[in-house]
Amino acid sequence: MSDATLDKVIRNAASSWTQSGHLSGRTFKVRRRIEPTPAAVTFALYLGAKLGFRGDELLTSGWIKALDCTPSQALDLAIEAKRLGLLDLRIAGDVFDLNLDRLDLRSAGGAR
């Protein structure tokens, strides 16, 4: 790739990471920790589930890590997401059952 193309890719990536809250600063970007929300964790769990992750694997996936979220924080935020009606979650001891069907329009009968 040419230098101009690489420069544009770098600027676009930095812009995306800045918009997501991972980078701050106008000229010199600095990595910062973000505060994940229940909705962001729900989406991270959804992406992991679509790729076949199950159980504890969902709480340690790359999508959860990209949110600067520990597995215990992810579970707490998933419980909050359940209270908000974003997902269905059942917990018994160390085992949890996650149902994300309400996020998938095809399985919820909403696709046209």
Side-chain angles (χ1 to χ4, degrees):
M1 285 190 229
S2 71
D3 286 344
T5 301
L6 287 174
D7 185 53
K8 184 166 180 117
V9 168
I10 290 168
R11 278 184 286 131
N12 287 342
S15 174
S16 296
W17 283 95
T18 300
Q19 290 174 24
S20 72
H22 288 86
L23 296 177
S24 63
R26 182 168 172 86
T27 304
F28 298 102
K29 303 293 184 189
V30 177
R31 172 71 162 94
R32 62 175 224 191
R33 294 187 62 79
I34 62 168
E35 292 294 323
T37 64
V41 168
T42 299
F43 189 58
L45 293 171
Y46 177 80
L47 291 173
K50 285 298 179 185
L51 288 176
F53 290 89
R54 298 288 178 255
D56 289 341
E57 290 179 327
L58 283 169
L59 299 175
T60 58
S61 75
W63 292 277
I64 294 295
K65 290 177 185 175
L67 296 173
D68 295 331
C69 199
T70 65
S72 63
Q73 289 172 318
L75 187 56
D76 290 344
L77 288 165
I79 292 168
E80 182 62 26
K82 176 186 177 183
R83 285 188 206 117
L84 295 171
L86 298 175
L87 53 81
D88 295 317
L89 177 68
R90 291 182 293 173
I91 301 174
D94 291 338
V95 178
F96 70 96
D97 179 39
L98 181 65
N99 186 330
L100 298 160
D101 285 346
R102 62 179 65 203
L103 297 177
D104 192 349
L105 294 176
R106 289 172 290 182
S107 65
R112 301 192 197 285

